[in-house]
Every structure is written in C-alpha cells, then in structure tokens.
Amino acid sequence: MIPMTGVLLAASSPTLAKALERVGADDLPAPHNDKTPFRFEGFNERVQAYIVARYYVRLTEAYGSQGREAFLLATRTYAEQRGHRMAQRALADGQQLDFVSYHKYGEWVPSEEMKKRGESNLSEPMTELPYHATKITRCPWAIQFREMGQQEAGLAYCKDLDSSIYRGFNPAIAYETRQTLHDHDYCVQCAPATKIPREALACPKYKPGLRSFEYHCAHTYWTFRQVVASVFGSKGLDIAKGVLSDVRQDLGKSFSATLRKYEETDFNVA
C-alpha cells in the first residue's frame, strides 16, 4: 500500500508523528543545487531512484572514484539482501531456488502512482534469442534519473542491481544487464544459460512476500547509509544525513520522517 503524505499520514501513525518531531535533529542543513522539487503522492519507484541518485552525487563529489566504488558496494549489498529475503520465503515454502521461483517471489509490483502517470515499467520478451531475455522500453527509475540529470548514477546502479539480486537469491543463476535506458534506447536483461517456456514465468507473485515502495525506499536509504558509514566513518555518516536532508527538502518532511521509522529494521531477513 502506498502511504499518504503530510498531515494525514502523520495523524494516522503515532510512530511517524514522533519521527516528524525529531526531523532535523539528525539531518545536515546541507542543501544541494537542484532547483525543482519533485511532487509525489507517496513512495514509489521514482522516489527510490531519487534516493539512489542523491547518494551517488554526494559520494562522488566527496570522494571521486572511491566514492563511486563505495556506491557500487552499497548497491550490491542492498540487492543481495533483497535476493536473500526472496530465497528465504521460497525455501520456507519448500520451493527450489530456480528461475521460476525468482519471479514468483519477487518483492515488488508497479506502484499505482506510476501506473496513473503512465510511467510504470514496459517490457517485452526478446523471442528471437535462444535464451531468456527481456527488452525494457520504459522504466520509472530511468525517468527519474534522467529528470535529475543523473544518467551516470542510473548506469552505475542498474548495471549491477538485478545480477546482484539474483546472486543473493541463488548465485548459480547467471544474469546480466547488457544495456540500459541510461545510454541506449532500451534496456536488455538476460540469463544466457537459461531457456524456459515464457508461460512458466506468468505465475502470479507470492503476495505475502510483496513489499511496499515505502519499505524498498527505506531499505535503500538505510543499507546505503550503513555501507558508506562503514567505509568512510563519520564523514560517510554525514553523507547519509545529507541525503536525508535532500529528501526532506525536495520531497517533504513526511518522506524523511517515514524513512526514519525503519532505522531498527533488519533488512537481511524476510
């Protein structure tokens, strides 16, 4: 479920109301140079891309190529945690950790907000290839990176993301992102060693395993924060605080306060 924002959201959640009272206590007053705030009804795919992009900008501005490597490490860590949770649910149900189970136990479906805006994922199978491959022609994450002028961040994020989720789920499944919408007309994702009937992937998602984009955005923020703080110490923590300040500035206090609710969440377990 995508949450409401602002006063109504705070009123419906005592935890969030308390977090709103704290907002600013841990945020650095370090505004960035983006001029246009983004208007969203709630957490969605583009909000997640926004958080990722702001980490990339702050890390590379502070540490250059070393910051980019830390960003890639954070991306892989986040993605592998997602794959681990999916594998835990599949194994709990007595399922094999195969390609079909990966699709069944995926944690997200397109947000209603992106559907309404006509910006949700649009993909089709590449049937001319002898293995599983998908062509993606529209992606809300790519839209957000482009609107922020951060295609470089998007390219760095997307090149490792899906392969790392698969690695967390089952490293025996080879998976590649061969090109992305950040530098091509469409994205290509494939599993070169896998050939299965298309209808086998048409099974519905395992609903108890689905997670809201509020959860996914919080997972992104806190795992990236943990990694950059581990790498760069107090200066890395300052970068994470700056990203939270960016969220508050561009998306609103309710967004940053909601992220705070997940500070004690263990994202390693389902």
Side-chain angles (χ1 to χ4, degrees):
M1 177 179 179
I2 296 193
M4 296 180 294
T5 58
V7 176
L8 289 177
L9 178 57
S12 66
S13 171
T15 304
L16 179 55
K18 184 176 180 180
L20 275 168
E21 291 176 2
R22 291 177 54 223
V23 112
D26 193 34
D27 295 352
L28 288 182
H32 55 80
N33 294 322
D34 294 346
K35 301 298 183 183
T36 306
F38 296 97
R39 305 292 183 183
F40 297 120
E41 296 174 6
F43 286 89
N44 57 53
E45 297 92 320
R46 288 185 58 172
V47 173
Q48 186 180 32
Y50 173 90
I51 294 168
V52 169
R54 291 309 307 161
Y55 265 112
Y56 185 85
V57 170
R58 286 186 174 272
L59 280 166
T60 54
E61 285 181 348
Y63 292 102
S65 61
Q66 186 184 13
R68 186 176 188 277
E69 290 301 316
F71 173 88
L72 294 174
L73 176 61
T75 298
R76 292 191 293 268
T77 302
Y78 156 79
E80 288 176 14
Q81 287 175 329
R82 273 177 59 181
H84 290 160
R85 293 193 301 264
M86 292 161 58
Q88 290 164 31
R89 296 186 186 102
L91 290 173
D93 285 349
Q95 302 298 310
Q96 297 294 317
L97 299 184
D98 57 19
F99 202 75
V100 175
S101 289
Y102 178 92
H103 281 256
K104 179 179 179 180
Y105 288 90
E107 290 190 328
W108 72 276
V109 293
S111 68
E112 292 302 317
E113 184 173 2
M114 291 300 99
K115 290 180 183 178
K116 286 192 296 183
R117 293 170 66 137
E119 296 177 350
S120 58
N121 260 50
L122 190 62
S123 63
E124 60 187 55
M126 299 180 72
T127 54
E128 70 274 15
L129 297 176
Y131 49 80
H132 172 79
T134 301
K135 176 181 181 180
I136 302 168
T137 54
R138 186 177 68 205
C139 167
W141 289 272
I143 292 170
Q144 182 65 28
F145 285 121
R146 183 173 63 249
E147 289 195 4
M148 295 174 72
Q150 291 300 326
Q151 290 93 328
E152 181 180 298
L155 184 60
Y157 180 70
C158 292
K159 78 179 187 68
D160 276 352
L161 179 70
D162 287 278
S163 60
S164 295
I165 301 173
Y166 271 93
R167 185 167 57 250
F169 181 77
N170 182 354
I173 303 175
Y175 199 81
E176 303 173 8
T177 297
R178 293 195 166 173
Q179 67 183 51
T180 76
L181 278 161
H182 310 297
D183 55 355
H184 291 80
D185 291 335
Y186 54 89
C187 172
V188 175
Q189 297 182 351
C190 62
T194 303
K195 183 178 181 180
I196 59 176
R198 299 288 174 183
E199 56 270 19
L201 302 181
C203 61
K205 291 285 184 75
Y206 175 68
K207 289 185 178 180
L210 294 176
R211 292 294 176 265
S212 69
F213 273 99
E214 175 186 309
Y215 178 93
H216 287 304
C217 290
H219 179 198
T220 302
Y221 175 76
W222 288 106
T223 293
F224 273 61
R225 175 173 168 137
Q226 183 180 51
V227 171
V228 300
S230 179
V231 173
F232 299 116
S234 61
K235 292 183 179 179
L237 187 59
D238 286 346
I239 285 173
K241 292 176 182 178
V243 171
L244 195 61
S245 177
D246 296 341
V247 170
R248 184 184 63 195
Q249 174 182 305
D250 282 353
L251 305 182
K253 287 184 178 180
S254 63
F255 283 86
S256 59
T258 298
L259 293 178
R260 287 181 178 279
K261 292 194 304 178
Y262 290 82
E263 184 173 1
E264 303 301 323
T265 302
D266 185 353
F267 294 105
N268 290 294
V269 296

